[in-house]
Amino acid sequence: MAGVAPGVFAPGHLGELTRIIPFEMVDDVLAQTRAHERRVRLVPARVTVYLLLAAALFTGLGYRQVFDRLCAGLAGLAPLRPSGSALRQARQRLGAAPMKALFDLLSGPAVTTAAAGWWRGLRLVAVDGTLLSVPDCAANLARFTRQRLGNGISGYPQLRLTVLLSCGTRSLIAAAFGPATTGELDYARRLAAQLRAGMLLLGDRNFAATDLLNHLAATGADLLVRCKSGRNLPAVARCRDGSALARLGALTVRVIDAEITIRTAAGIRSSHYRLLTTLTDASRHPAADLVRLYHERWEIETTYAELKSTILGGHILRSRTPDGIEQEVWALLTVYQVLRIAMTDATDSVPGLDPDRAGFTTALAAARDQLILAAGVITGTDIDLIGSIGRHVLAHLLPARRVRTKDRIVKRAISKYNARGPAIDRTTYKATISINMLRASP
């Protein structure tokens, strides 16, 4: 039986995938992880890698349907269509190691000359966790547990994903995932090895544990983490801007208290924020500036929305074994990183253009179209530094980011964002935000 010759998938056939992930890179990864096939296969290892990446673009389709899209633009060159069993065996032979190695090669802050993602010489990075649902089957339940819902009904088994994100470009520096029974603080400790001096790590209140902060600070990175406003932190010294120094184990942190007020046509509301930071010099790093900067942490929430709602479309993962889930998640993260690299390349080609103006949905749609059309199957001699995705992104730039005063809410309960009742005010308001620094209590 004739196999799928690797040469059928010529450079350019997979659009941006083979521009950013060339065949040579895939072959090196397969050699490094010893995943090359030992005899001629209907679905070779290289094709399997690209099949998994394409499946991350079309998460609502089965693998045979994804394979059809890989071959849709090949006309008379289309290879023999493998059975579902052949595709399953190919994925099992490949394993998860090549997909993880591929992600490791591509991970890291996307290269850009834009100022976004930097503050006073420090690279802004964020850490947070989320949950992904996996198929409810015996094999997955042996590793992943169901999470109890508020009404007492048990849902799908879930895994916990925690990533270290480069703000500005929203590219992935590192990721760790596994059973949801392991907390995101434990996964964050695994990611600490990727922190460096010159980084400023942003985290929410869950990451303010004393042991974890000491562990993260030992990497040389600086920290800016929110904590509970009622936490007892006796001051050991006071700063001119109203902040105070306190001790958390062996670590000296600066405690910043602020009242944030939002004014709209609907009224005024205020909330108390308390931040902890290892940037203890108040003259070099003013407290009010740090409070404003903390808003950048929300970029990691946007990233999770793009992964779960835009790419996955609210679907659960498809694999019915823990090994398959691991393989699938690394492929999903790799595709996300490829799209972010393509988007950053595009915005970086226009001096002064903020990466925020690049639309993730636009990039994803362009990548899907490129794959189906087999665009670029006959390659030319021109060097394309932006790519088709980049051209689509630049042609459909988003407006400048506006101030948001509350979580995103929609009307339909079955939507990707939870509806929270009929009395929700969904009017869009122009808002003014003011920050009042609070002096530490004696």
Side-chain angles (χ1 to χ4, degrees):
M1 182 180 292
V4 181
V8 168
F9 292 91
H13 163 230
L14 298 174
E16 299 295 273
L17 290 182
T18 49
R19 183 179 78 87
I20 299 174
I21 309 178
F23 287 177
E24 294 79 8
M25 179 185 292
V26 172
D27 289 341
D28 287 346
V29 162
L30 293 173
Q32 173 191 336
T33 56
R34 299 181 179 180
H36 273 302
E37 61 275 355
R38 298 180 181 178
R39 61 183 178 86
V40 176
R41 296 280 187 180
L42 180 63
V43 187
R46 180 202 284 178
V47 174
T48 307
V49 170
Y50 285 110
L51 173 70
L52 289 166
L53 296 175
L57 287 173
F58 295 95
T59 54
L61 302 179
Y63 283 105
R64 293 194 80 194
Q65 294 171 302
V66 173
F67 187 86
D68 290 342
R69 278 155 180 76
L70 282 175
C71 305
L74 294 178
L77 299 176
L80 183 67
R81 188 184 192 226
S83 66
S85 176
L87 294 176
R88 183 182 67 254
Q89 292 174 34
R91 302 195 317 273
Q92 292 173 343
R93 285 194 304 270
L94 185 71
M99 304 312 297
K100 181 182 185 304
L102 190 59
F103 173 79
D104 289 341
L105 281 176
L106 293 167
S107 61
V111 179
T112 178
T113 58
W118 291 87
W119 184 75
R120 303 196 177 200
L122 296 172
R123 181 187 291 279
L124 301 179
V125 299
V127 64
D128 202 3
T130 192
L131 295 171
L132 296 175
S133 296
V134 305
D136 191 353
C137 59
N140 284 338
L141 284 170
R143 185 176 183 192
F144 305 109
T145 59
R146 296 187 180 95
Q147 298 297 296
R148 188 64 60 177
L149 303 179
N151 59 4
I153 299 175
S154 191
Y156 284 103
Q158 292 183 315
L159 68 78
R160 192 181 304 279
L161 169 66
T162 303
V163 305
L164 184 64
L165 182 86
S166 179
C167 299
T169 62
R170 299 180 203 162
S171 46
L172 302 178
I173 299 174
F177 58 88
T181 50
T182 301
E184 61 184 0
L185 302 192
D186 293 320
Y187 291 117
R189 286 186 178 90
R190 302 181 194 179
L191 300 177
Q194 303 301 320
L195 294 173
R196 300 286 185 272
M199 290 181 174
L200 178 58
L201 178 66
L202 311 179
D204 65 16
R205 286 178 290 191
N206 197 37
F207 294 90
T210 298
D211 290 346
L212 178 62
L213 292 181
N214 278 265
H215 181 75
L216 297 175
T219 65
D222 284 299
L223 312 177
L224 180 62
V225 179
R226 189 181 179 189
C227 78
K228 294 181 180 179
S229 57
R231 186 170 178 176
N232 184 24
L233 296 168
V236 298
R238 306 193 182 280
C239 305
R240 294 181 179 178
D241 61 1
S243 59
L245 302 183
R247 298 286 290 176
L248 290 177
L251 185 64
T252 299
V253 297
R254 186 160 147 234
V255 183
I256 301 172
D257 285 286
E259 183 180 63
I260 299 179
T261 302
I262 300 176
R263 292 178 173 84
T264 69
I268 300 174
R269 57 190 178 94
S270 299
S271 58
H272 180 196
Y273 267 62
R274 170 173 284 183
L275 302 178
L276 306 179
T277 182
T278 55
L279 299 172
T280 56
D281 189 339
S283 60
R284 291 183 57 195
H285 306 106
D289 290 353
L290 288 171
V291 173
R292 295 186 186 94
L293 180 69
Y294 182 73
H295 180 74
E296 297 298 315
R297 191 202 73 80
W298 281 94
E299 296 211 350
I300 197 168
E301 305 289 355
T302 301
T303 293
Y304 284 141
E306 291 164 347
L307 281 170
K308 298 166 68 173
S309 296
T310 307
I311 297 182
L312 285 173
H315 297 110
I316 65 171
L317 300 175
R318 67 176 84 209
S319 300
R320 302 184 67 81
T321 65
D323 290 343
I325 290 293
E326 182 181 0
Q327 182 187 67
E328 184 179 354
V329 173
W330 287 124
L332 175 68
L333 296 176
T334 299
V335 163
Y336 173 86
Q337 184 74 350
V338 167
L339 292 175
R340 277 292 163 193
I341 292 172
M343 294 163 67
T344 304
D345 288 348
T347 56
D348 213 45
S349 68
V350 180
L353 184 60
D354 193 321
D356 269 349
R357 301 285 306 281
F360 189 83
T361 302
T362 299
L364 178 63
R368 289 169 172 167
D369 290 345
Q370 282 283 291
L371 188 144
I372 293 174
L373 297 174
V377 67
I378 302 176
T379 58
T381 57
D382 295 335
I383 299 176
D384 188 354
L385 297 179
I386 298 178
S388 178
I389 293 178
R391 286 190 292 275
H392 279 80
V393 166
L394 292 178
H396 302 88
L397 290 174
L398 300 177
R401 181 189 292 177
R402 62 183 178 179
V403 174
R404 177 173 293 160
T405 63
K406 60 177 67 176
D407 296 339
R408 191 189 302 269
I409 298 171
V410 297
K411 297 179 180 179
R412 291 191 303 149
I414 61 172
S415 177
K416 56 189 176 183
Y417 299 103
N418 290 330
R420 300 184 183 176
I424 298 298
D425 181 4
R426 294 179 171 86
T427 306
T428 298
Y429 297 100
K430 290 185 177 180
T432 301
I433 298 178
S434 59
I435 299 174
N436 178 35
M437 303 306 303
L438 304 177
R439 301 192 70 84
S441 302

